[in-house]
């Protein structure tokens, strides 16, 4: 059984650019959530996908968007990058059915630095 | 929205002592209460969780207690060891997501 994997692990972008982060969920998990963790803070919920549909969203602007694919892998896209977008982006999967999520299994994260 | 607070923000204990971290939440609809441990540079990992119909749960040296009326739950670690040093997050479940607290940095000195 493979765990949650994310890519890339580190990347550096400049303000105004766009970034795509990728996540492969744990085998058998059909729900994927994305969290942003700024330095010294707790993870903040961005959105959740179940069966290729967004079914929950946190307080993030529309320039944060996502996709889930038929194999349950997922992408997080951020447009028009700002300095404050610098953070660790965590993907988490769970075997939930789109409703109650229960335990989240996190990937190691993608650390984004915006200069 | 849901307001989640953790206390203390930092905690230093001697090896073998006990540690208690408290989490207060605001939304009475929350029904699932996990604690995550995050070591430096690593992913958050679930260490224990409790559901709203249970008051206490233990797993070896770790326990969680829940007071739904007062809207708080606590993490208890007994016989602490240096490898318990990490940041601990409570994350009550609200509607469709976990709301993470600001974290408690636990340091266990040998």
């Amino acid at each position: 059984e493979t765990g949650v994997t994310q890519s890339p692990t580190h990347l550096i972008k400049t303000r105004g650019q766009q970034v795509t982060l990728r996540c492969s969920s744990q085998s058998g998990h059909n729900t994927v959530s994305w969290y942003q963790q700024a330095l010294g803070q707790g993870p903040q919920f961005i959105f959740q996908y179940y069966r290729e549909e967004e079914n929950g969203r946190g307080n993030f602007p529309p320039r944060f968007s996502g996709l889930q694919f038929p194999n349950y892998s997922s992408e997080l896209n951020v447009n028009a990058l700002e300095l404050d977008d610098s953070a660790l982006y965590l993907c988490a999967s769970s075997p939930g059915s789109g409703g109650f999520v229960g335990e989240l299994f996190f990937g190691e994260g993608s650390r984004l630095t915006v200069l | 929205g849901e307001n989640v607070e953790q206390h203390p923000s930092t905690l230093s204990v001697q090896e073998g002592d006990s540690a208690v971290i408290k989490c207060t939440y605001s939304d009475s609809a929350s029904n699932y209460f996990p604690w995550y441990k995050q070591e430096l540079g690593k992913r958050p990992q679930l260490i224990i969780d409790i559901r709203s119909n249970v008051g206490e749960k233990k797993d070896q040296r770790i326990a969680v207690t829940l007071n739904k009326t007062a809207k708080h739950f606590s993490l208890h670690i007994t016989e602490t060891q240096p490898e318990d040093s990490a940041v601990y997050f409570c994350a009550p479940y609200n509607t469709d997501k976990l709301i993470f607290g600001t974290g408690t940095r636990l340091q266990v000195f040998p």
Side-chain angles (χ1 to χ4, degrees):
Chain A
E1 180 182 277
T2 55
V4 178
T5 58
Q6 292 186 242
S7 63
T9 54
H10 296 81
L11 69 167
I12 298 173
K13 293 283 188 177
T14 55
R15 271 187 305 174
Q17 285 189 310
Q18 178 267 344
V19 68
T20 298
L21 308 178
R22 295 178 175 82
C23 171
S24 293
S25 60
Q26 186 161 317
S27 175
H29 289 185
N30 54 21
T31 301
V32 173
S33 305
W34 284 92
Y35 284 79
Q36 180 197 65
Q37 187 174 24
L39 204 59
Q41 303 292 319
Q44 289 205 315
F45 177 73
I46 303 175
F47 43 54
Q48 177 180 287
Y49 279 83
Y50 170 67
R51 290 188 176 176
E52 303 175 58
E53 297 282 334
E54 183 184 293
N55 76 336
R57 189 176 182 94
N59 190 25
F60 280 80
R63 59 190 186 84
F64 285 78
S65 63
L67 284 173
Q68 187 181 32
F69 300 100
N71 66 354
Y72 305 132
S73 65
S74 177
E75 282 183 359
L76 165 65
N77 298 289
V78 187
N79 293 323
L81 285 167
E82 301 176 0
L83 297 179
D84 284 349
D85 295 334
S86 295
L88 180 67
Y89 288 84
L90 293 162
C91 171
S93 71
S94 64
S97 56
F100 179 73
V101 173
E103 179 178 358
L104 297 185
F105 294 80
F106 284 90
E108 294 288 0
S110 293
R111 184 164 296 284
L112 170 65
T113 302
V114 181
L115 302 177
Chain B
E2 171 85 280
N3 187 36
V4 179
E5 292 185 359
Q6 279 183 240
H7 295 282
S9 56
T10 61
L11 180 58
S12 296
V13 300
Q14 205 73 33
E15 183 177 0
D17 287 351
S18 295
V20 181
I21 304 170
K22 183 176 179 179
C23 179
T24 305
Y25 60 95
S26 60
D27 192 338
S28 56
S30 295
N31 59 4
Y32 171 67
F33 307 93
W35 284 94
Y36 280 80
K37 174 184 180 182
Q38 188 175 29
E39 296 176 39
L40 192 62
K42 300 282 185 74
R43 71 186 84 187
Q45 290 194 293
L46 178 73
I47 55 171
I48 196 165
D49 57 11
I50 194 168
R51 303 197 183 231
S52 58
N53 59 343
V54 178
E56 182 175 356
K57 181 178 177 181
K58 280 186 82 169
D59 183 3
Q60 299 181 4
R61 298 187 296 109
I62 295 173
V64 55
T65 56
L66 172 64
N67 184 328
K68 276 216 79 178
T69 304
K71 289 188 277 188
H72 64 73
F73 61 113
S74 297
L75 174 68
H76 305 254
I77 305 175
T78 58
E79 299 170 32
T80 53
Q81 300 167 2
E83 51 265 39
D84 293 330
S85 297
V87 178
Y88 291 81
F89 293 99
C90 63
Y93 181 76
N94 179 278
T95 308
D96 55 1
K97 57 191 173 289
L98 299 181
I99 307 292
F100 282 79
T102 49
T104 297
R105 181 173 298 281
L106 173 65
Q107 286 187 296
V108 181
F109 293 98

